[in-house]
Amino acid sequence: MTFVQRGLTRRQFSVGLASLATATATRAMSETALPTIDTHAHVFHRGLKLAPGRRYAPDYDAPLSLYLEQLDHNGMSNGVLVQPSFLGTDNSYLVECLKQTSGRLRGIAVVDLAVSADELRALDRAGVVGIRLNLVGQPLPDLTAAEWKMLLAQVKAMGWQVEIQRNASDLAVLAPQLIDHGVTVVFDHYALPDPKLGVADPGFRSVLKLGATKKIWVKISAPYRNGAAGENFAKEAYPLLRNAYGLDRLLWGSDWPHTQFEAAQTYEKNRQFLDVLIADPGERTLVLASPYQLFRF
C-alpha cells in the first residue's frame, strides 16, 4: 500500500512529514497518518542458486507471500527487500518479487563490479534503488580503483544509495570515501560497533560524528546482531544516533526472517521492540515514515 492508497496526495505527505519534523518530541500522532516502512528484509527459497564462497545458507524458505503477511499483520504499509549475500549477484528473484507488488516494495541489489549500465537500468525499472556492500568477513574494497569509480559514478547518476554492512571502525573510514564519490550512504544494523564496547567503541563514536555530513542514514535494525546484550545496546545507542543524525535519517528495519537468529526472533517481536525503543509516538512515526523519499516510494 502506497501513501496514495492510504488517501494522501504527494503534497499532503510532504506537508505532513515537514510538520512532524518540527513538532515537539512529546506530541502524540497516529502511526496510520503516514507511511510505515520496513527498510530491511530478505526473501528467498531453497530452490535458488547459491553464491560460491558464501558464509551461510538457510535451510528453509522465506517467500514473498509470507513477508507480505508480516507487513500486513504488523501495520506496515511498505517494505524494502535486500538481496541476501548468499544469493550473490543473481538478483532475479528479488526483481521477480518487486514486480509482483505494484510498487509496495523497493529493492537493494548486490551487483558485480563490471555490471553494465543496461543491467542497472533494468534493476531501476523493477524498483531497485541501491546496491548493497556486505563486507562482513571480506577484504575492504579499494574505492579509488577504476572499476569502483565507474560503478559508484553510475550509482550516483541513477540517484541510488549504497547500503553497507561492516563494523563501525571500518565504516568510519569507508563512508567519507563513498561520500567523496557523491553517493548517499546507509549503514546497516546500528553501524555494528564492537559488541564488547557498545556505544563506547571509538568506531561508533566516529560514526556519530559522520551525522554532520547529512549524507548518511542509519538503520536501527536487528539489535541482536550487536551481541547478546543487543537490546540494551540499542537503548543506549538510539538517543546518541537521534542526536547525531536526526530522526529523518534513522530507518527502522525488521531484518526478517532474521537469518541465523530465527529461533529467538520474530517480526512481531522486533516491531514491538521499536515501541519500547522509541516510546514517543511522534518520534516513532517519523522514523517509520522517513524512508519514503530515500527509497523513492
Side-chain angles (χ1 to χ4, degrees), residues 222-269:
Y224 45 85
R225 297 194 187 276
N226 284 280
E231 289 191 356
N232 289 332
F233 156 75
K235 291 174 183 177
E236 293 180 347
Y238 170 70
L240 299 175
L241 290 167
R242 177 190 60 202
N243 293 339
Y245 283 82
L247 294 172
D248 58 336
R249 292 187 184 275
L250 299 182
L251 310 167
W252 179 77
S254 66
D255 195 38
W256 188 86
H258 326 289
T259 53
Q260 302 183 73
F261 292 87
E262 303 90 342
Q265 300 297 324
T266 66
Y267 195 112
E268 185 175 12
K269 178 179 179 180

mmCIF file of all heavy atoms in Angstrom, residues 222-269:
data_model
loop_
_atom_site.group_PDB
_atom_site.id
_atom_site.type_symbol
_atom_site.label_atom_id
_atom_site.label_comp_id
_atom_site.label_asym_id
_atom_site.label_seq_id
_atom_site.Cartn_x
_atom_site.Cartn_y
_atom_site.Cartn_z
ATOM 1 N N ALA A 222 17.785 -4.975 13.795
ATOM 2 C CA ALA A 222 18.478 -6.173 14.261
ATOM 3 C C ALA A 222 19.443 -5.918 15.417
ATOM 4 O O ALA A 222 20.636 -6.179 15.307
ATOM 5 C CB ALA A 222 19.221 -6.820 13.087
ATOM 6 N N PRO A 223 18.947 -5.437 16.547
ATOM 7 C CA PRO A 223 19.855 -5.212 17.682
ATOM 8 C C PRO A 223 20.581 -6.484 18.109
ATOM 9 O O PRO A 223 21.697 -6.415 18.647
ATOM 10 C CB PRO A 223 18.921 -4.698 18.784
ATOM 11 C CG PRO A 223 17.544 -5.127 18.383
ATOM 12 C CD PRO A 223 17.553 -5.105 16.887
ATOM 13 N N TYR A 224 19.988 -7.645 17.833
ATOM 14 C CA TYR A 224 20.599 -8.920 18.207
ATOM 15 C C TYR A 224 21.891 -9.186 17.440
ATOM 16 O O TYR A 224 22.667 -10.070 17.814
ATOM 17 C CB TYR A 224 19.610 -10.076 17.987
ATOM 18 C CG TYR A 224 18.864 -10.026 16.688
ATOM 19 C CD1 TYR A 224 19.397 -10.540 15.516
ATOM 20 C CD2 TYR A 224 17.600 -9.441 16.629
ATOM 21 C CE1 TYR A 224 18.707 -10.483 14.323
ATOM 22 C CE2 TYR A 224 16.896 -9.385 15.435
ATOM 23 C CZ TYR A 224 17.457 -9.911 14.284
ATOM 24 O OH TYR A 224 16.761 -9.849 13.097
ATOM 25 N N ARG A 225 22.147 -8.457 16.375
ATOM 26 C CA ARG A 225 23.406 -8.620 15.648
ATOM 27 C C ARG A 225 24.537 -7.808 16.300
ATOM 28 O O ARG A 225 25.661 -7.784 15.787
ATOM 29 C CB ARG A 225 23.237 -8.234 14.181
ATOM 30 C CG ARG A 225 22.235 -9.127 13.448
ATOM 31 C CD ARG A 225 22.288 -8.995 11.948
ATOM 32 N NE ARG A 225 21.201 -9.737 11.327
ATOM 33 C CZ ARG A 225 21.224 -11.047 11.056
ATOM 34 N NH1 ARG A 225 22.313 -11.745 11.337
ATOM 35 N NH2 ARG A 225 20.193 -11.641 10.493
ATOM 36 N N ASN A 226 24.218 -7.168 17.393
ATOM 37 C CA ASN A 226 25.216 -6.421 18.154
ATOM 38 C C ASN A 226 25.516 -7.075 19.492
ATOM 39 O O ASN A 226 25.762 -6.402 20.494
ATOM 40 C CB ASN A 226 24.740 -4.977 18.353
ATOM 41 C CG ASN A 226 24.888 -4.142 17.093
ATOM 42 O OD1 ASN A 226 25.967 -3.672 16.769
ATOM 43 N ND2 ASN A 226 23.792 -3.975 16.363
ATOM 44 N N GLY A 227 25.474 -8.398 19.527
ATOM 45 C CA GLY A 227 25.849 -9.127 20.725
ATOM 46 C C GLY A 227 24.666 -9.554 21.565
ATOM 47 O O GLY A 227 23.514 -9.183 21.309
ATOM 48 N N ALA A 228 24.952 -10.343 22.587
ATOM 49 C CA ALA A 228 23.908 -10.917 23.431
ATOM 50 C C ALA A 228 23.093 -9.849 24.149
ATOM 51 O O ALA A 228 21.915 -10.043 24.448
ATOM 52 C CB ALA A 228 24.535 -11.878 24.445
ATOM 53 N N ALA A 229 23.716 -8.721 24.448
ATOM 54 C CA ALA A 229 23.017 -7.621 25.121
ATOM 55 C C ALA A 229 22.572 -6.568 24.105
ATOM 56 O O ALA A 229 22.553 -5.371 24.398
ATOM 57 C CB ALA A 229 23.912 -6.993 26.173
ATOM 58 N N GLY A 230 22.197 -7.030 22.907
ATOM 59 C CA GLY A 230 21.888 -6.124 21.813
ATOM 60 C C GLY A 230 20.775 -5.132 22.101
ATOM 61 O O GLY A 230 20.861 -3.964 21.691
ATOM 62 N N GLU A 231 19.735 -5.551 22.809
ATOM 63 C CA GLU A 231 18.642 -4.622 23.090
ATOM 64 C C GLU A 231 19.081 -3.524 24.056
ATOM 65 O O GLU A 231 18.683 -2.364 23.904
ATOM 66 C CB GLU A 231 17.424 -5.385 23.629
ATOM 67 C CG GLU A 231 16.741 -6.237 22.566
ATOM 68 C CD GLU A 231 15.400 -6.780 23.020
ATOM 69 O OE1 GLU A 231 15.038 -6.541 24.197
ATOM 70 O OE2 GLU A 231 14.719 -7.436 22.208
ATOM 71 N N ASN A 232 19.889 -3.886 25.030
ATOM 72 C CA ASN A 232 20.405 -2.858 25.941
ATOM 73 C C ASN A 232 21.306 -1.886 25.192
ATOM 74 O O ASN A 232 21.263 -0.671 25.425
ATOM 75 C CB ASN A 232 21.169 -3.510 27.095
ATOM 76 C CG ASN A 232 20.254 -4.242 28.067
ATOM 77 O OD1 ASN A 232 19.085 -3.885 28.212
ATOM 78 N ND2 ASN A 232 20.772 -5.264 28.715
ATOM 79 N N PHE A 233 22.131 -2.435 24.297
ATOM 80 C CA PHE A 233 22.967 -1.562 23.474
ATOM 81 C C PHE A 233 22.098 -0.608 22.654
ATOM 82 O O PHE A 233 22.379 0.593 22.565
ATOM 83 C CB PHE A 233 23.847 -2.390 22.538
ATOM 84 C CG PHE A 233 24.279 -1.636 21.314
ATOM 85 C CD1 PHE A 233 25.270 -0.669 21.397
ATOM 86 C CD2 PHE A 233 23.673 -1.867 20.086
ATOM 87 C CE1 PHE A 233 25.653 0.051 20.270
ATOM 88 C CE2 PHE A 233 24.044 -1.158 18.964
ATOM 89 C CZ PHE A 233 25.043 -0.191 19.054
ATOM 90 N N ALA A 234 21.032 -1.146 22.042
ATOM 91 C CA ALA A 234 20.162 -0.316 21.197
ATOM 92 C C ALA A 234 19.554 0.833 21.992
ATOM 93 O O ALA A 234 19.447 1.962 21.499
ATOM 94 C CB ALA A 234 19.061 -1.176 20.581
ATOM 95 N N LYS A 235 19.164 0.559 23.232
ATOM 96 C CA LYS A 235 18.570 1.605 24.070
ATOM 97 C C LYS A 235 19.581 2.701 24.395
ATOM 98 O O LYS A 235 19.212 3.862 24.562
ATOM 99 C CB LYS A 235 18.028 0.978 25.361
ATOM 100 C CG LYS A 235 16.811 0.085 25.135
ATOM 101 C CD LYS A 235 16.404 -0.627 26.416
ATOM 102 C CE LYS A 235 15.247 -1.568 26.174
ATOM 103 N NZ LYS A 235 14.871 -2.329 27.403
ATOM 104 N N GLU A 236 20.850 2.343 24.481
ATOM 105 C CA GLU A 236 21.888 3.345 24.706
ATOM 106 C C GLU A 236 22.243 4.072 23.406
ATOM 107 O O GLU A 236 22.519 5.265 23.396
ATOM 108 C CB GLU A 236 23.149 2.675 25.270
ATOM 109 C CG GLU A 236 22.978 2.097 26.664
ATOM 110 C CD GLU A 236 24.254 1.444 27.162
ATOM 111 O OE1 GLU A 236 25.176 1.226 26.349
ATOM 112 O OE2 GLU A 236 24.349 1.161 28.368
ATOM 113 N N ALA A 237 22.222 3.335 22.299
ATOM 114 C CA ALA A 237 22.656 3.897 21.023
ATOM 115 C C ALA A 237 21.617 4.809 20.404
ATOM 116 O O ALA A 237 21.977 5.812 19.756
ATOM 117 C CB ALA A 237 22.984 2.762 20.050
ATOM 118 N N TYR A 238 20.335 4.492 20.580
ATOM 119 C CA TYR A 238 19.296 5.262 19.888
ATOM 120 C C TYR A 238 19.354 6.763 20.184
ATOM 121 O O TYR A 238 19.375 7.575 19.238
ATOM 122 C CB TYR A 238 17.902 4.710 20.192
ATOM 123 C CG TYR A 238 16.825 5.643 19.688
ATOM 124 C CD1 TYR A 238 16.599 5.800 18.325
ATOM 125 C CD2 TYR A 238 16.067 6.416 20.579
ATOM 126 C CE1 TYR A 238 15.647 6.683 17.851
ATOM 127 C CE2 TYR A 238 15.118 7.296 20.120
ATOM 128 C CZ TYR A 238 14.907 7.426 18.755
ATOM 129 O OH TYR A 238 13.970 8.318 18.296
ATOM 130 N N PRO A 239 19.372 7.202 21.446
ATOM 131 C CA PRO A 239 19.406 8.656 21.673
ATOM 132 C C PRO A 239 20.661 9.318 21.113
ATOM 133 O O PRO A 239 20.614 10.478 20.673
ATOM 134 C CB PRO A 239 19.324 8.786 23.199
ATOM 135 C CG PRO A 239 19.697 7.455 23.734
ATOM 136 C CD PRO A 239 19.285 6.457 22.722
ATOM 137 N N LEU A 240 21.775 8.585 21.106
ATOM 138 C CA LEU A 240 23.004 9.143 20.535
ATOM 139 C C LEU A 240 22.863 9.306 19.023
ATOM 140 O O LEU A 240 23.257 10.337 18.452
ATOM 141 C CB LEU A 240 24.193 8.236 20.865
ATOM 142 C CG LEU A 240 24.503 8.048 22.353
ATOM 143 C CD1 LEU A 240 25.628 7.034 22.542
ATOM 144 C CD2 LEU A 240 24.883 9.376 23.001
ATOM 145 N N LEU A 241 22.293 8.300 18.372
ATOM 146 C CA LEU A 241 22.087 8.372 16.923
ATOM 147 C C LEU A 241 21.052 9.439 16.575
ATOM 148 O O LEU A 241 21.207 10.171 15.595
ATOM 149 C CB LEU A 241 21.646 7.007 16.391
ATOM 150 C CG LEU A 241 22.720 5.912 16.399
ATOM 151 C CD1 LEU A 241 22.086 4.548 16.151
ATOM 152 C CD2 LEU A 241 23.789 6.201 15.351
ATOM 153 N N ARG A 242 20.009 9.529 17.378
ATOM 154 C CA ARG A 242 18.977 10.542 17.143
ATOM 155 C C ARG A 242 19.582 11.940 17.202
ATOM 156 O O ARG A 242 19.306 12.785 16.337
ATOM 157 C CB ARG A 242 17.876 10.402 18.190
ATOM 158 C CG ARG A 242 16.767 11.454 18.101
ATOM 159 C CD ARG A 242 15.866 11.381 19.329
ATOM 160 N NE ARG A 242 16.647 11.616 20.543
ATOM 161 C CZ ARG A 242 16.275 11.222 21.761
ATOM 162 N NH1 ARG A 242 15.144 10.578 21.937
ATOM 163 N NH2 ARG A 242 17.041 11.480 22.802
ATOM 164 N N ASN A 243 20.413 12.173 18.189
ATOM 165 C CA ASN A 243 21.012 13.494 18.336
ATOM 166 C C ASN A 243 22.024 13.786 17.232
ATOM 167 O O ASN A 243 22.161 14.933 16.797
ATOM 168 C CB ASN A 243 21.683 13.625 19.703
ATOM 169 C CG ASN A 243 20.680 13.606 20.841
ATOM 170 O OD1 ASN A 243 19.493 13.878 20.644
ATOM 171 N ND2 ASN A 243 21.139 13.265 22.037
ATOM 172 N N ALA A 244 22.727 12.751 16.770
ATOM 173 C CA ALA A 244 23.780 12.944 15.769
ATOM 174 C C ALA A 244 23.231 13.029 14.352
ATOM 175 O O ALA A 244 23.760 13.778 13.518
ATOM 176 C CB ALA A 244 24.805 11.810 15.858
ATOM 177 N N TYR A 245 22.173 12.271 14.065
ATOM 178 C CA TYR A 245 21.670 12.172 12.693
ATOM 179 C C TYR A 245 20.324 12.866 12.484
ATOM 180 O O TYR A 245 19.989 13.252 11.365
ATOM 181 C CB TYR A 245 21.552 10.695 12.286
ATOM 182 C CG TYR A 245 22.885 10.074 11.955
ATOM 183 C CD1 TYR A 245 23.724 9.604 12.966
ATOM 184 C CD2 TYR A 245 23.339 9.979 10.646
ATOM 185 C CE1 TYR A 245 24.963 9.051 12.682
ATOM 186 C CE2 TYR A 245 24.576 9.423 10.345
ATOM 187 C CZ TYR A 245 25.378 8.969 11.367
ATOM 188 O OH TYR A 245 26.615 8.433 11.075
ATOM 189 N N GLY A 246 19.549 12.984 13.539
ATOM 190 C CA GLY A 246 18.189 13.496 13.390
ATOM 191 C C GLY A 246 17.234 12.366 13.074
ATOM 192 O O GLY A 246 17.613 11.347 12.478
ATOM 193 N N LEU A 247 15.997 12.527 13.463
ATOM 194 C CA LEU A 247 15.009 11.470 13.256
ATOM 195 C C LEU A 247 14.800 11.140 11.789
ATOM 196 O O LEU A 247 14.476 10.004 11.438
ATOM 197 C CB LEU A 247 13.674 11.884 13.888
ATOM 198 C CG LEU A 247 13.651 12.007 15.413
ATOM 199 C CD1 LEU A 247 12.336 12.610 15.871
ATOM 200 C CD2 LEU A 247 13.882 10.647 16.061
ATOM 201 N N ASP A 248 14.984 12.105 10.912
ATOM 202 C CA ASP A 248 14.719 11.872 9.496
ATOM 203 C C ASP A 248 15.829 11.090 8.804
ATOM 204 O O ASP A 248 15.704 10.751 7.627
ATOM 205 C CB ASP A 248 14.481 13.199 8.771
ATOM 206 C CG ASP A 248 15.651 14.163 8.904
ATOM 207 O OD1 ASP A 248 16.411 14.037 9.875
ATOM 208 O OD2 ASP A 248 15.791 15.038 8.032
ATOM 209 N N ARG A 249 16.915 10.768 9.536
ATOM 210 C CA ARG A 249 17.977 9.955 8.938
ATOM 211 C C ARG A 249 18.175 8.632 9.679
ATOM 212 O O ARG A 249 19.193 7.971 9.515
ATOM 213 C CB ARG A 249 19.288 10.747 8.882
ATOM 214 C CG ARG A 249 19.191 11.911 7.901
ATOM 215 C CD ARG A 249 20.505 12.624 7.678
ATOM 216 N NE ARG A 249 20.288 13.769 6.818
ATOM 217 C CZ ARG A 249 20.278 13.728 5.478
ATOM 218 N NH1 ARG A 249 20.480 12.572 4.861
ATOM 219 N NH2 ARG A 249 20.068 14.817 4.767
ATOM 220 N N LEU A 250 17.175 8.260 10.460
ATOM 221 C CA LEU A 250 17.151 6.945 11.078
ATOM 222 C C LEU A 250 16.080 6.112 10.396
ATOM 223 O O LEU A 250 14.993 6.606 10.089
ATOM 224 C CB LEU A 250 16.879 7.051 12.574
ATOM 225 C CG LEU A 250 17.909 7.832 13.393
ATOM 226 C CD1 LEU A 250 17.535 7.808 14.873
ATOM 227 C CD2 LEU A 250 19.319 7.296 13.188
ATOM 228 N N LEU A 251 16.383 4.851 10.162
ATOM 229 C CA LEU A 251 15.500 3.958 9.421
ATOM 230 C C LEU A 251 15.258 2.696 10.231
ATOM 231 O O LEU A 251 16.202 2.109 10.760
ATOM 232 C CB LEU A 251 16.133 3.571 8.074
ATOM 233 C CG LEU A 251 16.664 4.707 7.205
ATOM 234 C CD1 LEU A 251 17.534 4.142 6.076
ATOM 235 C CD2 LEU A 251 15.513 5.523 6.635
ATOM 236 N N TRP A 252 13.993 2.266 10.303
ATOM 237 C CA TRP A 252 13.728 1.013 11.008
ATOM 238 C C TRP A 252 13.650 -0.133 10.005
ATOM 239 O O TRP A 252 13.109 0.009 8.899
ATOM 240 C CB TRP A 252 12.411 1.074 11.782
ATOM 241 C CG TRP A 252 12.142 -0.233 12.477
ATOM 242 C CD1 TRP A 252 12.735 -0.678 13.619
ATOM 243 C CD2 TRP A 252 11.260 -1.276 12.051
ATOM 244 N NE1 TRP A 252 12.277 -1.947 13.941
ATOM 245 C CE2 TRP A 252 11.366 -2.331 12.986
ATOM 246 C CE3 TRP A 252 10.394 -1.424 10.958
ATOM 247 C CZ2 TRP A 252 10.635 -3.511 12.868
ATOM 248 C CZ3 TRP A 252 9.667 -2.601 10.836
ATOM 249 C CH2 TRP A 252 9.784 -3.635 11.792
ATOM 250 N N GLY A 253 14.209 -1.275 10.409
ATOM 251 C CA GLY A 253 14.102 -2.476 9.582
ATOM 252 C C GLY A 253 13.845 -3.687 10.448
ATOM 253 O O GLY A 253 14.386 -3.804 11.559
ATOM 254 N N SER A 254 13.032 -4.597 9.942
ATOM 255 C CA SER A 254 12.690 -5.796 10.710
ATOM 256 C C SER A 254 13.808 -6.839 10.682
ATOM 257 O O SER A 254 13.927 -7.653 11.589
ATOM 258 C CB SER A 254 11.415 -6.424 10.138
ATOM 259 O OG SER A 254 11.651 -6.923 8.823
ATOM 260 N N ASP A 255 14.594 -6.857 9.605
ATOM 261 C CA ASP A 255 15.618 -7.875 9.364
ATOM 262 C C ASP A 255 14.987 -9.259 9.193
ATOM 263 O O ASP A 255 15.657 -10.272 9.366
ATOM 264 C CB ASP A 255 16.655 -7.896 10.491
ATOM 265 C CG ASP A 255 17.914 -8.669 10.116
ATOM 266 O OD1 ASP A 255 18.351 -8.580 8.956
ATOM 267 O OD2 ASP A 255 18.457 -9.398 10.986
ATOM 268 N N TRP A 256 13.706 -9.294 8.857
ATOM 269 C CA TRP A 256 13.032 -10.581 8.620
ATOM 270 C C TRP A 256 13.691 -11.312 7.473
ATOM 271 O O TRP A 256 14.088 -10.679 6.494
ATOM 272 C CB TRP A 256 11.549 -10.309 8.293
ATOM 273 C CG TRP A 256 10.722 -11.552 8.210
ATOM 274 C CD1 TRP A 256 10.110 -12.202 9.237
ATOM 275 C CD2 TRP A 256 10.404 -12.306 7.028
ATOM 276 N NE1 TRP A 256 9.437 -13.310 8.775
ATOM 277 C CE2 TRP A 256 9.611 -13.394 7.419
ATOM 278 C CE3 TRP A 256 10.725 -12.169 5.673
ATOM 279 C CZ2 TRP A 256 9.127 -14.340 6.522
ATOM 280 C CZ3 TRP A 256 10.261 -13.106 4.767
ATOM 281 C CH2 TRP A 256 9.467 -14.178 5.190
ATOM 282 N N PRO A 257 13.865 -12.640 7.523
ATOM 283 C CA PRO A 257 13.462 -13.580 8.582
ATOM 284 C C PRO A 257 14.545 -13.841 9.623
ATOM 285 O O PRO A 257 14.619 -14.937 10.156
ATOM 286 C CB PRO A 257 13.148 -14.840 7.784
ATOM 287 C CG PRO A 257 14.200 -14.818 6.694
ATOM 288 C CD PRO A 257 14.346 -13.362 6.319
ATOM 289 N N HIS A 258 15.387 -12.838 9.881
ATOM 290 C CA HIS A 258 16.336 -12.891 10.995
ATOM 291 C C HIS A 258 17.338 -14.036 10.833
ATOM 292 O O HIS A 258 17.557 -14.838 11.748
ATOM 293 C CB HIS A 258 15.598 -13.022 12.332
ATOM 294 C CG HIS A 258 14.293 -12.302 12.364
ATOM 295 N ND1 HIS A 258 14.218 -10.926 12.384
ATOM 296 C CD2 HIS A 258 13.004 -12.744 12.315
ATOM 297 C CE1 HIS A 258 12.937 -10.558 12.379
ATOM 298 N NE2 HIS A 258 12.191 -11.636 12.328
ATOM 299 N N THR A 259 17.949 -14.137 9.657
ATOM 300 C CA THR A 259 18.836 -15.256 9.342
ATOM 301 C C THR A 259 19.897 -15.459 10.415
ATOM 302 O O THR A 259 20.534 -14.517 10.872
ATOM 303 C CB THR A 259 19.529 -15.034 7.985
ATOM 304 O OG1 THR A 259 20.162 -13.751 7.985
ATOM 305 C CG2 THR A 259 18.515 -15.088 6.846
ATOM 306 N N GLN A 260 20.024 -16.711 10.799
ATOM 307 C CA GLN A 260 20.925 -17.197 11.852
ATOM 308 C C GLN A 260 20.425 -16.871 13.260
ATOM 309 O O GLN A 260 21.055 -17.272 14.250
ATOM 310 C CB GLN A 260 22.362 -16.674 11.667
ATOM 311 C CG GLN A 260 22.978 -17.057 10.317
ATOM 312 C CD GLN A 260 24.402 -16.609 10.176
ATOM 313 O OE1 GLN A 260 25.290 -17.173 10.794
ATOM 314 N NE2 GLN A 260 24.640 -15.595 9.346
ATOM 315 N N PHE A 261 19.316 -16.131 13.360
ATOM 316 C CA PHE A 261 18.716 -15.835 14.670
ATOM 317 C C PHE A 261 17.234 -16.216 14.674
ATOM 318 O O PHE A 261 16.475 -15.730 15.503
ATOM 319 C CB PHE A 261 18.867 -14.342 14.995
ATOM 320 C CG PHE A 261 20.280 -13.911 15.230
ATOM 321 C CD1 PHE A 261 21.084 -13.532 14.169
ATOM 322 C CD2 PHE A 261 20.824 -13.895 16.510
ATOM 323 C CE1 PHE A 261 22.400 -13.132 14.373
ATOM 324 C CE2 PHE A 261 22.140 -13.498 16.728
ATOM 325 C CZ PHE A 261 22.929 -13.121 15.650
ATOM 326 N N GLU A 262 16.843 -17.094 13.753
ATOM 327 C CA GLU A 262 15.434 -17.436 13.570
ATOM 328 C C GLU A 262 14.789 -18.026 14.822
ATOM 329 O O GLU A 262 13.606 -17.799 15.092
ATOM 330 C CB GLU A 262 15.274 -18.440 12.419
ATOM 331 C CG GLU A 262 15.837 -17.975 11.090
ATOM 332 C CD GLU A 262 17.300 -18.372 10.906
ATOM 333 O OE1 GLU A 262 17.963 -18.695 11.919
ATOM 334 O OE2 GLU A 262 17.770 -18.351 9.755
ATOM 335 N N ALA A 263 15.567 -18.764 15.592
ATOM 336 C CA ALA A 263 14.996 -19.461 16.745
ATOM 337 C C ALA A 263 14.519 -18.503 17.829
ATOM 338 O O ALA A 263 13.580 -18.815 18.577
ATOM 339 C CB ALA A 263 16.026 -20.434 17.323
ATOM 340 N N ALA A 264 15.139 -17.333 17.915
ATOM 341 C CA ALA A 264 14.812 -16.412 19.005
ATOM 342 C C ALA A 264 14.085 -15.154 18.554
ATOM 343 O O ALA A 264 13.616 -14.384 19.395
ATOM 344 C CB ALA A 264 16.095 -16.007 19.733
ATOM 345 N N GLN A 265 13.963 -14.936 17.235
ATOM 346 C CA GLN A 265 13.413 -13.679 16.737
ATOM 347 C C GLN A 265 12.165 -13.893 15.888
ATOM 348 O O GLN A 265 12.031 -14.915 15.218
ATOM 349 C CB GLN A 265 14.464 -12.939 15.893
ATOM 350 C CG GLN A 265 15.729 -12.593 16.646
ATOM 351 C CD GLN A 265 15.483 -11.631 17.793
ATOM 352 O OE1 GLN A 265 14.637 -10.733 17.705
ATOM 353 N NE2 GLN A 265 16.239 -11.796 18.872
ATOM 354 N N THR A 266 11.266 -12.918 15.932
ATOM 355 C CA THR A 266 10.097 -12.889 15.049
ATOM 356 C C THR A 266 9.909 -11.459 14.564
ATOM 357 O O THR A 266 10.445 -10.507 15.149
ATOM 358 C CB THR A 266 8.821 -13.333 15.781
ATOM 359 O OG1 THR A 266 8.505 -12.357 16.804
ATOM 360 C CG2 THR A 266 8.974 -14.709 16.393
ATOM 361 N N TYR A 267 9.119 -11.311 13.520
ATOM 362 C CA TYR A 267 8.822 -9.969 13.025
ATOM 363 C C TYR A 267 8.122 -9.158 14.113
ATOM 364 O O TYR A 267 8.505 -8.025 14.412
ATOM 365 C CB TYR A 267 7.929 -10.060 11.782
ATOM 366 C CG TYR A 267 7.864 -8.762 11.009
ATOM 367 C CD1 TYR A 267 8.434 -8.662 9.748
ATOM 368 C CD2 TYR A 267 7.242 -7.631 11.533
ATOM 369 C CE1 TYR A 267 8.399 -7.475 9.039
ATOM 370 C CE2 TYR A 267 7.197 -6.444 10.828
ATOM 371 C CZ TYR A 267 7.778 -6.367 9.582
ATOM 372 O OH TYR A 267 7.749 -5.188 8.891
ATOM 373 N N GLU A 268 7.104 -9.755 14.715
ATOM 374 C CA GLU A 268 6.319 -9.042 15.721
ATOM 375 C C GLU A 268 7.179 -8.605 16.899
ATOM 376 O O GLU A 268 7.035 -7.485 17.410
ATOM 377 C CB GLU A 268 5.173 -9.917 16.212
ATOM 378 C CG GLU A 268 4.233 -9.212 17.176
ATOM 379 C CD GLU A 268 3.042 -10.073 17.551
ATOM 380 O OE1 GLU A 268 3.056 -11.279 17.254
ATOM 381 O OE2 GLU A 268 2.097 -9.522 18.155
ATOM 382 N N LYS A 269 8.087 -9.462 17.330
ATOM 383 C CA LYS A 269 8.964 -9.124 18.454
ATOM 384 C C LYS A 269 9.804 -7.898 18.130
ATOM 385 O O LYS A 269 9.962 -6.996 18.963
ATOM 386 C CB LYS A 269 9.860 -10.313 18.786
ATOM 387 C CG LYS A 269 10.843 -10.054 19.924
ATOM 388 C CD LYS A 269 11.690 -11.286 20.206
ATOM 389 C CE LYS A 269 12.691 -11.006 21.322
ATOM 390 N NZ LYS A 269 13.525 -12.204 21.616
#
